[in-house]
Amino acid sequence: MKPTSPADRLAQARTDDSTRRRRRVLAALDDLTRDGQPISVSAVARLAGVHRSLIYRHGGLHAAVAARAAQPPNNTNGPQVSRNSLLSDLANLTERNTRLAGHVARLEQRLSEALGQDAWRATGLGAPTDTDTLQRKIDHLDSATSSPNAKKTSRHPEPLTES
C-alpha cells in the first residue's frame, strides 16, 4: 500500500533512507573485513559515506562494528596480531617509558650535582679536596712552634726601654 498523505510519504522516505544507510554501513563493514583493513567506527562511517553518529545512535550497527573489530583478521599473509596483544604491548611500553623517564631524571640529578661540585671547587669557594693533608701540615707546624727547641720569634718586637 502506497502512502497517501504527505506526512506518510515523508515517513516512508525517511524509513527508506535509514534502510539504505544501514545497508551501506553493513556493506562497508563487510568490505573492510574482506580487505583485512582495521575496523573502527570512523573507518566504517568513512567508507559508507555516513556520519559516525549514525553508527553510535543505532545500537545494532555499533554492536556489529565492535564485534567485527574484536575478531582477528582473516588474512593469513603475515603474523597475526590481535587488538588485545597490541593493547598489552602498549601498556608494557608505557610502563617501560615511565621507568626510563625516572631513570633519566635520576641521572640528570646526579650529573647536576657532580657539575655543581666541580664548579664549587673550581671557584675556590668549597673546602679543599685534601683536608687531611692540610690538617697534618697544620699539626706539624703547631708542634714545631711549641717545641722547646723551637726558636721563639715574635712578629711584634717589644719596644726598647731605656735603662
Side-chain angles (χ1 to χ4, degrees), residues 113-130:
E113 290 171 359
L115 290 175
Q117 291 293 331
D118 288 346
W120 182 262
R121 274 191 241 90
T123 59
L125 295 174
T129 55
D130 196 9

Side-chain angles (χ1 to χ4, degrees), residues 43-59:
V44 172
R46 191 176 319 115
L47 187 60
V50 299
H51 196 270
R52 293 184 318 264
S53 64
L54 175 85
I55 297 172
Y56 286 118
R57 280 194 315 256
H58 293 86

Side-chain angles (χ1 to χ4, degrees), residues 103-154:
H103 184 65
V104 166
R106 287 188 301 275
L107 289 175
E108 286 174 345
Q109 180 65 33
R110 286 178 51 196
L111 178 63
S112 175
E113 290 171 359
L115 290 175
Q117 291 293 331
D118 288 346
W120 182 262
R121 274 191 241 90
T123 59
L125 295 174
T129 55
D130 196 9
T131 55
D132 291 336
T133 305
L134 291 175
Q135 189 61 45
R136 276 186 261 128
K137 188 173 184 179
I138 290 170
D139 292 343
H140 174 69
L141 291 173
D142 279 347
S143 66
T145 57
S146 62
S147 70
N149 297 343
K151 192 176 182 184
K152 300 232 176 194
T153 60
S154 174

Side-chain angles (χ1 to χ4, degrees), residues 17-162:
D17 182 55
S18 180
T19 303
R20 279 193 304 275
R21 288 175 188 248
R22 288 176 68 85
R23 286 184 188 147
R24 286 198 330 237
V25 167
L26 294 173
L29 189 57
D30 290 338
D31 290 345
L32 288 173
T33 302
R34 182 187 63 243
D35 295 342
Q37 296 293 321
I39 297 175
S40 67
V41 171
S42 296
V44 172
R46 191 176 319 115
L47 187 60
V50 299
H51 196 270
R52 293 184 318 264
S53 64
L54 175 85
I55 297 172
Y56 286 118
R57 280 194 315 256
H58 293 86
L61 292 177
H62 188 255
V65 171
R68 291 274 181 98
Q71 291 177 354
N74 291 337
N75 59 357
T76 57
N77 54 353
Q80 301 297 314
V81 179
S82 71
R83 185 173 194 282
N84 289 339
S85 70
L86 291 175
L87 289 174
S88 175
D89 286 348
L90 177 63
N92 290 335
L93 291 174
T94 301
E95 177 60 31
R96 181 172 188 251
N97 213 8
T98 303
R99 284 193 316 267
L100 289 175
H103 184 65
V104 166
R106 287 188 301 275
L107 289 175
E108 286 174 345
Q109 180 65 33
R110 286 178 51 196
L111 178 63
S112 175
E113 290 171 359
L115 290 175
Q117 291 293 331
D118 288 346
W120 182 262
R121 274 191 241 90
T123 59
L125 295 174
T129 55
D130 196 9
T131 55
D132 291 336
T133 305
L134 291 175
Q135 189 61 45
R136 276 186 261 128
K137 188 173 184 179
I138 290 170
D139 292 343
H140 174 69
L141 291 173
D142 279 347
S143 66
T145 57
S146 62
S147 70
N149 297 343
K151 192 176 182 184
K152 300 232 176 194
T153 60
S154 174
R155 283 190 179 175
H156 304 289
E158 294 182 20
L160 295 174
T161 58
E162 289 185 36

